[in-house]
Amino acid sequence: GAAAEQTTQGLGADPRALLEQLADAGGITVKGTEELRGVQTTRYSGQVDIHKALEAQGMPQEQIEMFDQQIKDAGKVTSTVDVYLDDDGLAHRTVSRTKVGSLMDITMTMDLLDFGEPVDITVPARGDVVRTETASTQFEVNQLTQSLFVGG
C-alpha cells in the first residue's frame, strides 16, 4: 500500500538519515573490516525502529496506523542498516534492508565516492524536476522517472 511505499522512499535515500537511524537503533555491532576502492572501512550494523524512522520523516500518525494495519496483514517487519566507515568517520557505503512480511523485501546499496573532490553541478530546468512527494504511489514515481529519462 501507499504507506509501505512511502516507507521505502525514506529508508535508504539519505546517508545522513541512515547514520542517524543506526545511531538511534542501539545494539550496533561491528561486523568486520572491508576494503572499498582502496580505503579500509569498518562495517557497523544495527536494526532500525521503523516507527521512529517514519515519525522522523514526518509521516502523519494516520499513515503510520495504516502501515501498522498492513504489517498485521503481511507479517513481521525488519529493517537493518549497515554502514562502512573509514578512519575519519566518512561513510563509504550504506546498505539498508527492509522486509515487510510478504509485501516487500528491498535491499538498497549506496556507495559514496570522491570525498573532497571539486563538484561541477548544472541545475536542471524546472520542468525536468519532479518531487516524489507529489506521486501517491511508487508506480507514479516510476512513470514520472521514465518520462524524464525516456522521453515519455
Side-chain angles (χ1 to χ4, degrees):
E5 290 162 357
Q6 186 171 352
T7 302
T8 63
Q9 291 174 8
L11 298 177
D14 180 352
R16 289 174 298 184
L18 280 174
L19 291 171
E20 289 171 10
Q21 290 168 7
L22 189 57
D24 289 345
I28 297 170
T29 59
V30 176
K31 294 290 188 174
T33 59
E34 185 172 330
E35 189 172 305
L36 299 174
R37 292 182 184 80
V39 177
Q40 192 63 33
T41 64
T42 302
R43 177 179 166 203
Y44 298 89
S45 185
Q47 290 284 121
V48 174
D49 181 320
I50 296 288
H51 285 275
K52 283 184 183 178
L54 295 176
E55 289 171 358
Q57 291 174 34
M59 181 182 277
Q61 188 62 37
E62 170 184 304
Q63 287 183 334
I64 293 174
E65 290 170 9
M66 286 174 41
F67 183 69
D68 284 340
Q69 184 59 49
Q70 289 175 344
I71 291 169
K72 288 177 188 172
D73 294 343
K76 184 178 178 182
V77 173
T78 58
S79 183
T80 59
V81 175
D82 292 356
V83 180
Y84 297 73
L85 300 178
D86 68 13
D87 291 339
D88 294 325
L90 296 173
H92 286 263
R93 174 176 287 163
T94 62
V95 180
S96 62
R97 295 178 195 92
T98 302
K99 183 171 183 174
V100 180
S102 60
L103 285 178
M104 72 173 129
D105 188 354
I106 297 172
T107 300
M108 178 183 212
T109 302
M110 181 172 25
D111 286 343
L112 304 155
L113 312 168
D114 300 327
F115 294 102
E117 294 294 319
V119 178
D120 183 22
I121 298 174
T122 302
V123 176
R126 174 170 241 127
D128 291 340
V129 177
V130 176
R131 297 186 60 88
T132 58
E133 309 76 75
T134 63
S136 62
T137 67
Q138 188 62 42
F139 176 74
E140 289 177 22
V141 171
N142 292 342
Q143 283 184 317
L144 290 169
T145 303
Q146 183 177 13
S147 70
L148 287 175
F149 293 106
V150 180

